[in-house]
Amino acid sequence: MTHAERQAMIPKRVRMGAPAFRVLGHAVAALVLLPLIAVAVAALTGSLETLTHLWQTVLPRYLGTTALLVATVSAGTAVIGAGTAWLVSCCAFPGRRFLEVALVLPLAFPAYVVAYAYTDLLDHPGLVQTTLRAVMGWGPRDYWFPEIRSAGGAAAMLTLVLYPYVYLLTRAAFLGQGARPFNIARTLGAGPWGAFLRVALPMARPSIAAGVLLAAMETIADYGTVSYFGVQSLANGIYQSWFSMADRGAAAQLALGLLAIALLLATLEQRSRGAAQHHSNGAPLPRIPLGGAARWAASAACALPVMLGAVVPAVTLATMATGSNQSLLSERYLQFAGNSVLLAAIAAGVTVLAAIVIGYQERLSPGPLSRATVRIGRIGYAVPGGVIAVGLLVPFAAFDNALDAFMEARFGISTGLLVTGSIWLMIAAYLIRFLAAAIGAYEGGQAMVNPNVGPAARSLGKGPYIVLTRVHLPIMSPSLLTALLIVFIDTMKELPATLILRPFNFDTLAVQAHRLAADERLDGAAVPSLAIAAVGLLPVIVLIRRIGAGDR
């Protein structure tokens, strides 16, 4: 039965409920587009004086450093993510089942939190260099040690927490390939590793590329790590132009450049995902039994990223926190935690609700416009938080100023900052930034709903809202709960948008950690950092349970 025939069976009064979802869906899409359009307009209409000065001084460095970070992190995440995915999926070695899920743990740590831990550990007064000087009898200038506060150090921190993107996608690709192509290569004379290099790896290349591009987008969006290490990247330049130079036009122009790079990477990532279609070819890939030193080398290769990306930062932060005077139970920290939880809870609820509206309106009224609405909703994940913040502040600050001037002139009343001085602009930024994750989870849950259930219920006179709440949402509840957790944790970790948009005297755990670290009070910064990482374990545990359930 065609969609038109199904629609004809539905009573007219019921069909009239669908436009409400279309209007709401289009409103969400318009909100997502607003900061992008505002950034473009502000950049194109702003003065070029500051941008010209930046080009003559630091802009080439911004571009070069950003390109270096993206290239280094892309290479590092590809090697670690694809290599470990192959080992745990297709090889047999000690500890494989444990390491298969433990490799996801670094996702719980924001890169800037890992940066605080390794700075305390590896900097000149840190444990490692202090121990080296004591054991070897060296003076401060008798040896060379890599500088952690550098572009290389920032790339290392980002690689340690972002490689799970590549690992998860590549592991799924390897498990979905099946044994037939691999066995054919073996019958033609290829050894186990030759078959991997010539058959399995090329088939997984789209998934590897998709994971690498996700890591690259997170790299260009990062502000906390590069800011703390003093690395001059585009993301850092936006914040400096906005606050240090007080030039919103220059910040918008830099944001437009960063936005263009992000959208290019997002386009490449979507194409890679589109190409990553794998169909199982019978039995799963056979596990290669490793013997001798190879089996222990495989265990060490998979354990090392877990140690460096999760265990070492957690232990270091815990040690730092015990030596600080900060307490999460103090009234001040309870307020920070309350602000963080309040923002994250509201953002998670609103974002998942927006994803439901966008996804359901496409199901009610399939067509080019509905598909475009969904695609627009996905754009936000490619846009750095600082760009979204600048894009929202420009139009809403103009609105607040115009309204205040009108009310002052007409009624002698000053309205102040109604929008830009509230947390609702922060909620809007989080919604735009993380809506794509919620849409993805919604679509995963929607796939479990029989497409004939909705039309059948509506043919009995049940409206779209009743069908959604009584039929669709109960079936999709596990996926929606996952979406709530992911958006909640991402909001807790988000730093640049929070720094730019937060109201006066409204700080969160992420802001407090950034402030203490900027003042070189790393022991104090460890306390809110540990809290953020601990909360970040929730969605990681969900992922680990799914991996364990799907293990063969």
Side-chain angles (χ1 to χ4, degrees):
M1 182 181 297
T2 66
H3 175 73
E5 291 171 337
R6 287 198 299 265
Q7 288 291 100
M9 295 173 56
I10 301 173
K12 183 177 180 181
R13 65 180 181 83
V14 175
R15 295 201 305 269
M16 293 301 290
F21 285 93
R22 288 200 297 272
V23 171
L24 289 173
H26 297 162
V28 172
L31 178 62
V32 174
L33 286 176
L34 176 62
L36 312 186
I37 296 172
V39 164
V41 171
L44 296 175
T45 58
S47 171
L48 296 177
E49 181 178 349
T50 303
L51 186 62
T52 302
H53 174 70
L54 289 173
W55 177 257
Q56 294 171 347
T57 54
V58 296
L59 189 53
R61 190 189 313 161
Y62 288 167
L63 293 170
T65 303
T66 302
L68 176 64
L69 286 173
V70 169
T72 307
V73 172
S74 297
T77 54
V79 171
I80 297 174
T84 54
W86 167 254
L87 288 173
V88 300
S89 301
C90 306
C91 298
F93 56 89
R96 182 196 63 82
R97 292 184 62 86
F98 169 76
L99 292 169
E100 187 173 32
V101 296
L103 281 162
V104 188
L105 286 175
L107 271 181
F109 291 81
Y112 58 84
V113 166
V114 177
Y116 303 157
Y118 274 102
T119 298
D120 184 78
L121 191 65
L122 301 178
D123 217 2
H124 187 271
L127 175 65
V128 172
Q129 293 199 53
T130 301
T131 303
L132 279 175
R133 291 194 297 271
V135 171
M136 304 301 296
W138 290 336
R141 299 184 180 181
D142 292 340
Y143 67 99
W144 175 86
F145 196 85
E147 177 57 58
I148 185 66
R149 298 179 189 242
S150 62
M157 302 300 103
L158 290 163
T159 299
L160 287 175
V161 300
L162 296 178
Y163 81 81
Y165 285 121
V166 183
Y167 167 75
L168 288 169
L169 292 175
T170 307
R171 175 184 174 276
F174 284 141
L175 293 178
Q177 286 179 10
R180 185 176 301 170
F182 188 87
N183 291 334
I184 291 173
R186 294 296 307 276
T187 60
L188 295 176
W193 297 107
F196 163 67
L197 293 173
R198 297 178 184 178
V199 178
L201 187 61
M203 289 178 64
R205 190 176 299 157
S207 295
I208 297 172
V212 168
L213 288 167
L214 282 174
M217 283 187 286
E218 292 292 333
T219 298
I220 67 170
D222 177 78
Y223 169 76
T225 310
V226 296
S227 172
Y228 178 65
F229 281 172
V231 176
Q232 298 299 305
S233 68
L234 276 174
N236 201 6
I238 293 171
Y239 194 85
Q240 290 178 354
S241 296
W242 188 278
F243 288 99
S244 300
M245 300 180 183
D247 192 331
R248 297 186 176 185
Q253 289 160 353
L254 291 175
L256 182 61
L258 193 60
L259 175 61
I261 298 173
L263 292 180
L264 173 62
L265 292 173
T267 302
L268 294 173
E269 189 272 338
Q270 288 180 355
R271 290 184 177 180
S272 296
R273 280 181 179 267
Q277 302 294 328
H278 298 287
H279 303 281
S280 179
N281 292 282
L285 276 169
R287 294 198 185 279
I288 302 173
L290 301 179
R295 60 202 303 262
W296 299 110
S299 298
C302 291
L304 188 60
V306 179
M307 291 293 296
L308 296 179
V311 177
V312 171
V315 173
T316 303
L317 288 171
T319 304
M320 294 161 59
T322 56
S324 71
N325 295 322
Q326 310 289 324
S327 172
L328 280 175
L329 299 180
S330 66
E331 182 179 354
R332 188 160 171 258
Y333 265 96
L334 288 177
Q335 183 178 358
F336 294 152
N339 292 342
S340 298
V341 172
L342 175 66
L343 285 174
I346 296 175
V350 171
T351 303
V352 172
L353 182 61
I356 292 172
V357 168
I358 284 183
Y360 194 53
Q361 63 91 29
E362 184 188 24
R363 185 162 185 141
L364 289 175
S365 307
L369 187 57
S370 296
R371 288 194 295 271
T373 300
V374 175
R375 288 172 183 166
I376 291 172
R378 293 181 181 276
I379 291 176
Y381 85 103
V383 184
V387 174
I388 294 174
V390 171
L392 289 176
L393 271 180
V394 169
F396 283 108
F399 169 79
D400 277 345
N401 291 333
L403 179 63
D404 183 67
F406 172 79
M407 295 297 291
E408 184 73 33
R410 194 71 178 268
F411 303 104
I413 301 174
S414 176
T415 57
L417 300 176
L418 292 179
V419 181
T420 52
S422 69
I423 69 169
W424 295 108
L425 199 60
M426 301 173 68
I427 299 299
Y430 300 142
L431 185 153
I432 296 168
R433 180 79 172 88
F434 305 124
L435 180 58
I439 291 176
Y442 174 87
E443 290 179 343
Q446 190 69 263
M448 298 185 295
V449 180
N450 190 310
N452 295 318
V453 170
R458 295 200 300 275
S459 68
L460 298 176
K462 304 300 181 182
Y465 176 77
I466 298 298
V467 174
L468 174 65
T469 55
R470 295 187 181 180
V471 179
H472 287 221
L473 295 186
I475 297 175
M476 297 187 297
S477 57
S479 296
L480 296 179
L481 176 61
T482 301
L484 284 168
L485 283 173
I486 291 173
V487 177
F488 184 92
I489 303 309
D490 282 341
T491 302
M492 291 281 292
K493 296 191 292 186
E494 174 62 31
L495 183 60
T498 307
L499 281 173
I500 294 175
L501 294 176
R502 75 189 193 279
F504 177 74
N505 203 27
F506 187 92
D507 291 330
T508 64
L509 289 172
V511 172
Q512 176 67 0
H514 173 75
R515 178 187 295 120
L516 292 173
D519 293 339
E520 296 301 328
R521 298 166 61 190
L522 287 180
D523 287 351
V527 176
S529 297
L530 271 177
I532 295 170
V535 177
L537 283 173
L538 288 173
V540 172
I541 290 172
V542 173
L543 284 173
I544 287 174
R545 292 185 64 182
R546 288 188 173 183
I547 289 173
D551 191 25
R552 53 188 169 86

